[in-house]
Amino acid sequence: MIIGKSKKELEKMRLSGQLVGQVLRELKRMVVPGVMTLELDMAAERMIRDGGGAPTFKGYNGFPFSICASVNEEVVHGFPSARKLKDGDIISIDCGVTLDGFVGDTAKTIPVGRVRPEWLRLIEVTEECLARAIEQCRIGNHVGDIGWAVQQHAERHGYGVVRDYVGHGVGRKMHEDPQIPNYGKPGTKEKIKAGYVFAVEPMINLGTQETKVLADGWTVVTLDGQPSAHVEHTVAVAEEGPELLTLIAEEAEATTKQAELATSL
Ligand code: MG
Ligand code: MG
């Protein structure tokens, strides 16, 4: 069942969205060659708690950290660690905040130092996929329109669209109905109504769409070892159109098998 949000609930979701958006912006600034991904995690938790929130991921199904830090061929759910980021890496940081009972969920793929052009292009196209997906989050559209928008754009560039993990509704819980795949057909699946809030999150691979999970039980990697990008915003469906709850204003200026699918943080 999809839970529509009232105006009052949306006000709260704006606050959790802005807090997690600010945390991700600060983490982006910290991403330089030599930084340990665990440092990013510790900074994230401190900023979340300073902002009056709780890290949604920590303890979620046993996940031990406040962020997912997925480097290069890691798709999602990477563990922060003593690993130091190197010049030429890319890192996808995913973060969730619970504030006053509501969750904000956002992710970004960030280049570390000088990154090869093909990898930068992957990030750029993944961001374009997200923008196109968000455009579909309108009253009267269908959830299948969102996935179609992502899939069309990514496959036009020859990229693999991850099938094994999907976006999701978000509210009091991080994972609510509906699931939002990054592939699909226009006019299919649930009809979109005012007050719905979605975590829209394309996961796009340079090579094959196929993934596997490492022995830690969490870290998802591409089967062919090629890099992957992941970007996410929490989006409210308003009368006037999509509202990006996790977008920070200054950043905006600068820039059927469904039930079986695992849901991405
Ligand atoms: Mg997320
Ligand atoms: Mg998510």
Side-chain angles (χ1 to χ4, degrees):
M1 185 191 66
I2 304 177
I3 305 167
K5 277 72 182 178
S6 67
K7 288 215 154 51
K8 202 158 213 165
E9 290 170 328
L10 284 171
E11 278 172 27
K12 293 184 176 187
M13 293 203 72
R14 273 185 202 107
L15 296 178
S16 60
Q18 287 297 292
L19 178 54
V20 73
Q22 285 162 5
V23 169
L24 194 60
R25 180 192 57 190
E26 293 307 314
L27 296 177
K28 184 183 173 191
R29 289 180 179 155
M30 290 177 66
V31 169
V32 289
V35 75
M36 284 191 300
T37 54
L38 196 59
E39 292 176 62
L40 302 174
D41 181 71
M42 286 160 43
E45 180 166 5
R46 192 189 63 244
M47 289 187 280
I48 291 166
R49 296 201 188 279
D50 284 351
T56 313
F57 295 2
K58 202 161 194 173
Y60 188 92
N61 291 339
F63 189 81
F65 300 99
S66 298
I67 61 169
C68 301
S70 307
V71 181
N72 298 341
E73 78 283 2
E74 297 172 353
V75 180
V76 288
H77 305 166
F79 278 8
S81 72
R83 174 182 190 162
K84 286 183 176 167
L85 294 175
K86 295 196 308 288
D87 193 50
D89 284 342
I90 59 173
I91 178 171
S92 302
I93 302 177
D94 192 350
C95 191
V97 162
T98 307
L99 181 68
D100 200 9
F102 287 89
V103 175
D105 189 5
T106 186
K108 201 168 188 58
T109 299
I110 303 155
V112 185
R114 291 157 304 170
V115 171
R116 67 189 84 171
E118 311 92 279
W119 294 23
L120 290 176
R121 186 71 184 131
L122 172 68
I123 296 172
E124 189 177 39
V125 171
T126 304
E127 284 174 352
E128 291 168 3
C129 286
L130 177 59
R132 285 164 183 255
I134 289 167
E135 265 308 300
Q136 297 301 320
C137 296
R138 293 179 181 276
I139 297 166
N141 280 6
H142 291 77
V143 167
D145 299 336
I146 300 172
W148 178 82
V150 173
Q151 184 182 4
Q152 291 296 304
H153 193 59
E155 291 183 348
R156 190 180 303 141
H157 290 85
Y159 297 144
V161 176
V162 172
R163 268 39 173 204
D164 299 334
Y165 304 87
V166 298
H168 50 94
V170 56
R172 288 189 182 276
K173 290 205 256 172
M174 177 158 60
H175 293 141
E176 296 184 352
D177 289 338
Q179 293 197 323
I180 303 176
N182 292 304
Y183 55 91
K185 291 193 175 69
T188 61
K189 301 171 76 75
E190 298 86 347
K191 198 167 184 182
I192 299 173
K193 297 179 181 170
Y196 285 4
V197 182
F198 298 152
V200 183
E201 49 180 317
M203 289 153 260
I204 308 296
N205 299 345
L206 188 62
T208 179
Q209 68 194 43
E210 301 297 333
T211 68
K212 65 176 179 182
V213 180
L214 297 185
D216 62 21
W218 278 99
T219 308
V220 178
V221 298
T222 57
L223 202 57
D224 61 7
Q226 294 208 70
S228 183
H230 176 216
V231 288
E232 175 178 32
H233 272 304
T234 298
V235 182
V237 179
E239 295 289 345
E240 316 78 58
E243 179 186 352
L244 280 70
L245 303 183
T246 46
L247 184 71
I248 301 302
E250 59 201 73
E251 289 235 321
E253 286 164 24
T255 61
T256 37
K257 191 177 163 242
Q258 190 190 6
E260 298 163 34
L261 291 169
T263 304
S264 167
L265 292 175

